[in-house]
């Protein structure tokens, strides 16, 4: 037979065990409770600031924006990618605004897509490669075309540049009337030098043109640094302005 | 019979909450002096990835490229700068910047790259060129030469400024503001320590009958303050967050990301130490409780 005292002491023992478990749970969970309270207070106080900072952080730490080198990292081109072709309306030279449609093959950044020749041996430009884009590594390889200028063959201003100690070293020898030829996979385009100008490096007016002009602007600019033949940096630029003579498209 | 181990729970909880924030602030202030603005945090991280070699290589590449628009031979530049010069320039600039912020130096840091040999070699090149081309060495040529030298030096300095510190080292720039902030922070630290002592005193008074509880609650505060630093740092490191830094230049990208990871590692170490101390305090409390229970049993 179970005595009352035994029943009482066993009930006490159960209560003791329960209290022990509760107090251990409280001891373990209390630090987490304090941590949760800290986090809640911090969230309430600094939520707006955090969102603002997160916006800046998203700009600074943006996996997609991390480009090492546009011409290397621009996975614009692999051997299997077909060239981008398109039909474009072009102004027929010497024709009072007559237009035709021709096929142009659009270059990807870093593509060598034309050859430049000046019919004047003293200019020293014979089948020089022309690259689409104007980064330092492309300037080291050849003549570059600014990708804000018109595509070769399209109506607009084509702007080609090169360094004055490499591919355009003898550009100052070019004369008015010299022929300039650009050959691409989709056509051959002939220009004639009409003017040369030396402007300060701060004057970039010739690099841009009004796309809405009537009659439309349709010419070629070759430009490079110029310091009267001296070695060293220059704060002047030589511009060779050429008008369109003929445009021969394959398609 | 209640087996209560945590006495005066609510008052202790509230004090512990305040203490957690104070310990967090003190940890961050400690980190500011000894981690954030400690030059070795960054120089050691960059040295591990041999950033000086990458910067040297960039200067070699620049030497080749600059010929195209300056006409200065690549070899002229290459023979004017060696790896030791590069390493000294990079690390001394970082050390000077953070020493300035810490208040150890009063002058605004400047680049200490020695361009004497570079200037001499370029000048010699000009003299040779003028002779070869039959060009008279006029003032115009001298002006072009000086402009070219300045441009080359600026380009090389830009390659050596791997942490982009020149952007913060302007008069009344960010480094000066940080320096002033740090002075203020040190005053705040004294106030925070005093406040912490007061709060711990109050907590001791609350736990005067069961003084072991003081260890537990201080441990709880330390636990929270350590977790508030440890968890975000661990997430930043684990998710490789800094790898997304939008910088084009490889050398700068590597220097900055490596420095940030080094900084994060140091913060993780600091908060881990704090966490260990917190756990020790709580373990001591548990030991005291058990010893007290044992003594009570013996008395019975």
């Amino acid at each position: 037979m179970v005595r009352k005292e035994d029943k009482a002491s066993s009930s006490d023992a159960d209560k003791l065990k329960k209290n022990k478990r509760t107090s251990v749970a409280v001891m373990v969970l209390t630090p987490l409770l304090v941590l949760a309270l800290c986090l809640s207070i911090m969230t309430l106080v600094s939520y707006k600031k955090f969102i603002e900072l997160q916006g800046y952080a998203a700009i600074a730490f943006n996996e997609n924006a991390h480009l090492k080198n546009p011409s290397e990292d621009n996975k614009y081109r692999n051997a299997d990618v077909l060239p981008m072709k398109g039909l474009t309306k072009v102004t027929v030279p010497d024709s009072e605004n007559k237009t035709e449609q021709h096929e142009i093959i659009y270059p990807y950044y870093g593509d060598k897509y034309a050859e430049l020749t000046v019919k004047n041996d003293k200019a020293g430009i014979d089948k020089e490669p022309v690259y689409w884009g104007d980064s330092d590594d492309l300037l080291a390889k050849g003549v570059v075309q600014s990708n804000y200028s018109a595509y070769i063959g399209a109506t607009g201003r084509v702007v080609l540049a090169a360094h004055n100690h490499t591919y355009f070293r003898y550009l100052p020898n070019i004369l008015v009337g010299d022929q300039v030829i650009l050959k691409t996979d989709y056509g051959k385009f002939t220009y004639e030098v009409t003017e040369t100008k030396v402007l300060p490096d701060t004057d970039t007016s010739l690099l841009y043109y009004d796309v809405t002009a009537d009659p439309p602007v349709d010419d070629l600019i070759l430009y490079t640094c110029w310091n009267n033949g001296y070695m060293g940096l220059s704060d002047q630029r030589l511009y060779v302005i050429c008008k369109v003579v003929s445009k021969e498209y394959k398609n | 019979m209640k087996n209560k181990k945590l006495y005066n729970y609510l008052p202790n909880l509230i004090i512990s909450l305040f203490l957690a924030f104070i310990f967090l602030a003190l940890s961050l202030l400690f980190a500011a002096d000894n981690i954030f603005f400690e030059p070795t945090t960054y120089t050691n991280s960059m040295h591990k990835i041999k950033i000086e070699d990458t910067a040297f290589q960039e200067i070699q590449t620049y030497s080749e490229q600059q010929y195209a628009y300056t006409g200065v031979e690549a070899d002229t530049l290459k023979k004017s700068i060696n790896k030791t010069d590069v390493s000294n320039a990079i690390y001394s600039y970082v050390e000077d910047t953070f020493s300035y912020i810490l208040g150890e130096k009063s002058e605004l840091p400047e680049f200490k790259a020695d361009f004497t040999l570079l200037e001499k070699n370029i000048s010699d090149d000009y003299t040779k060129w003028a002779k070869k081309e039959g060009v008279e060495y006029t003032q115009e040529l001298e002006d072009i030469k000086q402009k070219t030298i300045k441009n080359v030096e600026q380009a090389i300095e830009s390659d050596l400024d791997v942490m982009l510190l020149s952007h913060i080292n302007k008069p009344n720039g960010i480094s000066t503001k940080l320096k002033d902030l740090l002075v203020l922070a040190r005053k705040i630290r004294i106030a925070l320590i005093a406040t912490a002592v007061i709060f711990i005193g109050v907590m001791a008074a609350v736990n005067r009958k069961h003084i072991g509880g003081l260890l537990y609650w201080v441990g709880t505060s330390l636990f929270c303050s350590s977790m508030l630093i440890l968890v975000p740092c661990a997430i930043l490191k684990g998710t490789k967050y800094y790898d997304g830094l939008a910088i084009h230049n490889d050398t700068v990208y590597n220097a900055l990301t490596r420095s940030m990871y080094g900084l994060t590692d140091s913060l993780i170490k600091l908060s881990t130490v704090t966490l260990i101390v917190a756990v020790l305090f709580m373990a001591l409390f548990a030991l005291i409780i058990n010893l007290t229970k044992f003594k009570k049993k013996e008395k019975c």
Side-chain angles (χ1 to χ4, degrees):
Chain A
M1 194 173 149
V2 177
R3 291 189 295 176
K4 268 189 188 172
E5 294 89 4
D6 287 343
K7 264 191 188 169
S9 72
S10 121
S11 162
D12 274 348
D14 286 340
K15 270 189 190 168
L16 201 65
K17 272 187 194 166
K18 198 176 169 186
N19 281 341
K20 192 176 179 184
R21 277 198 297 270
T22 310
S23 99
V24 168
V26 166
M27 275 168 50
V28 167
L29 291 174
T30 295
L32 297 172
L33 171 66
V34 176
L35 181 62
L37 286 169
C38 285
L39 277 170
S40 309
I41 293 167
M42 282 171 75
T43 307
L44 277 168
V45 167
S46 56
Y47 182 69
K48 272 186 185 168
K49 198 74 192 170
F50 175 75
I51 296 296
E52 189 187 322
L53 284 173
Q54 205 184 26
Y56 293 124
I59 296 167
F61 296 93
N62 180 348
E63 192 62 50
N64 295 329
H66 175 52
L67 293 174
K68 288 185 190 177
N69 185 327
S71 60
E72 280 177 8
D73 204 52
N74 185 351
K75 305 283 190 277
Y76 45 82
R77 188 73 130 147
N78 58 52
D80 300 328
V81 169
L82 293 172
M84 285 196 303
K85 292 182 187 178
L87 286 174
T88 191
K89 260 193 195 159
V90 295
T91 310
V92 176
D94 296 327
S95 69
E96 284 185 18
N97 275 356
K98 186 180 165 197
T99 59
E100 293 171 345
Q101 265 203 333
H102 290 285
E103 184 186 86
I104 282 184
I105 301 174
Y106 298 107
Y108 291 92
Y109 192 98
D111 273 356
K112 179 206 153 189
Y113 92 113
E115 274 180 358
L116 174 70
T117 301
V118 174
K119 294 285 189 194
N120 176 348
D121 291 340
K122 287 184 181 172
I125 300 170
D126 183 26
K127 294 182 183 172
E128 300 297 353
V130 178
Y131 292 89
W132 179 255
D134 54 5
S135 60
D136 284 340
D137 59 330
L138 292 177
L139 277 162
K141 287 158 74 170
V143 179
V144 302
Q145 176 168 2
S146 301
N147 49 357
Y148 53 72
S149 69
Y151 292 108
I152 295 172
T155 302
R157 174 164 292 165
V158 177
V159 179
L160 303 181
H163 281 311
N164 60 327
H165 290 277
T166 53
Y167 297 93
F168 278 2
R169 180 191 286 272
Y170 301 109
L171 192 67
N173 293 339
I174 215 166
L175 298 169
V176 170
D178 283 347
Q179 262 206 348
V180 179
I181 298 169
L182 277 167
K183 277 189 188 166
T184 65
D185 286 345
Y186 53 90
K188 177 181 164 186
F189 309 95
T190 309
Y191 300 83
E192 184 182 301
V193 177
T194 56
E195 194 183 354
T196 62
K197 264 187 187 175
V198 173
L199 295 172
D201 59 351
T202 48
D203 183 350
T204 55
S205 53
L206 281 176
L207 299 178
Y208 306 98
Y209 67 102
D210 181 0
V211 296
T212 61
D214 188 18
V217 171
D218 198 8
D219 57 17
L220 166 70
I221 303 274
L222 307 175
Y223 94 104
T224 188
C225 295
W226 186 86
N227 54 5
N228 205 12
Y230 284 157
M231 183 171 108
L233 277 180
S234 166
D235 53 9
Q236 292 182 304
R237 301 289 178 266
L238 170 66
Y239 293 86
V240 176
I241 304 159
C242 314
K243 68 173 186 185
V244 174
V245 170
S246 67
K247 292 183 177 181
E248 299 160 33
Y249 298 89
K250 288 183 184 171
N251 295 311
Chain B
M1 166 177 108
K2 265 194 175 175
N3 189 357
K4 213 167 153 184
K5 290 192 173 62
L6 293 177
Y7 296 91
N8 299 317
Y9 190 83
L10 194 58
N12 275 316
L13 186 76
I14 293 167
I15 299 168
S16 170
L17 198 57
F18 280 105
L19 262 181
F21 282 115
I22 293 171
F23 285 150
L24 175 65
L26 282 170
S27 299
L28 291 172
L29 288 171
F30 176 83
D33 257 334
N34 298 286
I35 298 174
F36 292 138
F37 302 124
E38 172 54 46
T40 53
T41 303
Y42 307 97
T43 54
N44 288 347
S45 306
M46 290 194 291
H47 197 62
K48 275 183 195 163
I49 55 166
K50 294 202 185 303
I51 205 73
E52 57 270 28
D53 289 353
T54 320
F56 181 73
Q57 219 30 68
E58 247 187 52
I59 292 170
Q60 301 299 294
T61 308
Y62 165 75
S63 301
E64 305 272 346
Q65 283 178 346
Q66 60 75 42
Y67 167 77
Y69 52 88
T70 67
V72 175
E73 294 289 341
D75 283 340
T76 303
L77 263 60
K78 284 181 181 177
K79 69 186 181 195
S80 306
I81 299 195
N82 59 43
K83 270 191 195 176
T84 313
D85 292 338
V86 167
S87 180
N88 289 342
I90 290 174
Y91 292 121
S92 65
Y93 195 46
V94 173
E95 282 161 7
D96 288 350
T97 300
F98 290 108
S99 297
Y100 171 76
I101 293 173
L102 283 171
E104 289 164 13
K105 287 189 175 164
S106 55
E107 285 158 11
L108 208 55
E110 277 179 7
F111 241 101
K112 281 185 187 155
D114 182 6
F115 290 126
T116 317
L117 187 59
L118 177 78
E119 287 168 12
K120 181 190 171 293
N121 287 338
I122 292 179
S123 293
D124 288 346
D125 262 17
Y126 265 82
T127 310
K128 281 181 206 160
W129 175 85
K131 227 179 194 177
K132 182 185 161 199
E133 299 290 323
V135 170
E136 194 190 333
Y137 203 102
T138 58
Q139 187 57 43
E140 187 188 355
L141 186 60
E142 174 66 21
D143 291 343
I144 290 174
K145 183 193 89 177
Q146 291 302 330
K147 198 177 0 181
T148 305
I149 288 174
K150 191 177 171 189
N151 184 275
V152 166
E153 287 176 358
Q154 279 175 348
I156 293 173
E157 274 181 7
S158 169
D159 283 340
L160 295 174
D161 185 10
V162 294
M163 287 186 67
L164 304 179
L165 294 172
S166 55
H167 295 280
I168 69 168
N169 284 336
K170 292 176 182 161
N172 296 321
I174 294 173
S175 57
T176 307
K177 289 186 176 126
L178 282 172
K179 180 179 176 167
D180 295 338
L181 261 175
L182 208 55
V183 167
L184 182 63
R186 282 174 184 147
K187 289 177 188 164
I188 293 174
R189 184 169 54 187
I190 298 168
L192 281 172
I193 291 171
T195 314
V197 166
I198 292 168
F199 271 104
I200 291 171
V202 169
M203 200 180 255
V206 166
N207 289 289
R208 62 188 176 280
K209 288 185 183 170
H210 306 92
I211 203 66
L214 178 66
L215 282 169
Y216 175 82
W217 289 105
V218 170
T220 299
S221 302
L222 284 170
F223 169 82
C224 294
S225 67
S226 70
M227 291 303 271
L228 286 170
I229 298 174
L230 184 61
V231 170
C233 287
I235 290 171
L236 286 171
K237 190 172 175 181
T239 57
K240 294 190 181 173
Y241 185 75
Y242 303 129
D243 285 0
L245 182 64
I247 293 271
H248 287 232
N249 183 296
D250 277 349
T251 310
V252 173
Y253 173 83
N254 290 331
L256 287 177
T257 51
R258 195 58 251 155
S259 298
M260 285 189 280
Y261 280 122
L263 178 65
T264 307
D265 286 342
S266 299
L267 285 173
I268 288 173
K269 279 180 199 161
L270 170 70
S271 50
T272 306
V273 166
T274 315
L275 183 64
I276 290 169
V277 170
V279 168
L280 272 170
F281 275 20
M282 292 186 201
L284 266 171
F285 167 72
L287 193 65
I288 290 170
I289 291 290
N290 281 330
L291 280 173
T292 315
K293 203 170 64 175
F294 184 67
K295 273 188 183 164
K296 276 186 185 165
K297 275 187 183 170
E298 271 192 347
K299 276 185 185 169
C300 292

